[in-house]
Amino acid sequence: MTGNFPYLVVGILFVMGFIGIVFEKNLMKIAIAVSVVEAATNLFIITLGYRSGGSIPVWTMAGSGSSRMVLPTPQALTLTAIVIGLATTALMLSFAMSIYRHYGSLDVRDVRRLRG
Amino acid sequence: MKARILFLVSILVVGGLLWSGLQAVHPFGEPNAAPMDDYFIANAQSEAAANNVVTSIVFDYRGFDTLGEGAVLFTAVISVAALFRKRGQH
Amino acid sequence: MNPLSVVARTVCNLFAWFLAVFGIYVIVHGHLTPGGGFQGGAVVATFMAFLLVAHGGRKMQSWVRKELFTLMECIGLTVFISAGLLGMSNTFFFNFLAKAGGLFGSTVPLGPNPGALNTSGTIALMNLSVGLEVVGGLSMILLYMFSGVHPEEPFGREETGHDR
């Protein structure tokens, strides 16, 4: 069980973010929860690609016994996911700022009403 | 109250599906056979002449992904600029 | 936003340059050490974040021009797509510079090695271009978000710090 501890961390992070997305009323907190779910996903992909005892997939100044390397493809995909998550986070915060300027509130119950 | 019950049911269904999917996942530290990754590790130096295997995947083997990534970043910048433009500016 | 106190401004002025140099190192050595264009670009964009937080949005708006960052982003994307298209005689994103002997064209000894900067063909070029693009894009996002903080304030009002 302790060997699979990273999967447990991923599950806890995912559930926390999911509960935050569903139950929070503040748009900023919803953005934070989305980021937490994103972090859980990235951690899951990285965890899947780990080889026990493996080194980073970089040959520069690698030790002589470093033929066993961590899988590189999940790391490359996570790099892509991190940048896209950064772009979506910036866009979410910008929309939250725009909504606050328009409605004077960040509560989703106040934002629900339509106003021209 | 109704929404809370709905949320409980939905999280039970989603969690059950995720848990059943988790049964097939390999234990931590022992991934399944990955011939593609082994090929990248073995041939990144001779084919792409790069020491960093991750960078050779990002920019050479899977360069098309990175093109889409740049497009996403560009779109985000354009959207933020369109949201915060001044009223007098075009 | 208002500028911070004089202590915070001095420290931010000093450490922003260290962060910029470190980010440029990460970009340039992207094909040798962990890192690359995206990570190094994000670190260099911290330069703009430091200066914006320390000095406030309006002063930075008068110091830098947004067109500069637009130009950086467009140049980065154009170089990136051109480097992909130039190998079109073989495939899209073909690494035509690797092991060709010219720019970034040295061969790499197999196995663990100290690493030479003049290797890896288009990968180093794309690292530089993507780093330029990310620096421009993130700095633009930061500048625009800071310019949207207090949009209704009259323009001529002076920003005051804690030390005045």
Side-chain angles (χ1 to χ4, degrees), chain A residues 8-48:
Chain A
L8 191 65
V9 175
V10 168
I12 290 173
L13 272 181
F14 186 83
V15 169
M16 280 169 60
F18 197 63
I19 289 175
I21 288 175
V22 174
F23 282 126
E24 287 297 335
K25 297 288 190 289
N26 195 322
L27 281 173
M28 284 290 169
K29 289 179 183 174
I30 291 176
I32 292 171
V34 170
S35 298
V36 168
V37 172
E38 219 175 81
T41 316
N42 291 337
L43 186 61
F44 183 59
I45 300 173
I46 286 290
T47 305
L48 280 181

Side-chain angles (χ1 to χ4, degrees), chain C residues 68-97:
Chain C
L68 176 70
F69 296 111
T70 316
L71 194 69
M72 280 167 76
E73 189 175 8
C74 293
I75 286 175
L77 262 182
T78 312
V79 171
F80 180 70
I81 297 174
S82 326
L85 277 178
L86 277 179
M88 203 63 185
S89 61
N90 207 318
T91 48
F92 197 34
F93 282 103
F94 179 69
N95 199 340
F96 64 99
L97 282 175

Side-chain angles (χ1 to χ4, degrees), chain B residues 35-59:
Chain B
M36 184 176 71
D37 298 272
D38 292 335
Y39 178 84
F40 285 153
I41 289 173
N43 294 51
Q45 279 185 314
S46 58
E47 287 182 356
N51 275 341
N52 193 342
V53 184
V54 177
T55 311
S56 74
I57 289 173
V58 167
F59 289 113

Side-chain angles (χ1 to χ4, degrees), chain A residues 93-113:
Chain A
L93 294 180
S94 304
F95 273 120
M97 282 168 69
S98 185
I99 283 171
Y100 184 77
R101 206 194 302 170
H102 195 77
Y103 289 94
S105 165
L106 278 176
D107 201 321
V108 284
R109 289 165 298 190
D110 295 339
V111 178
R112 274 171 77 177
R113 71 183 192 278

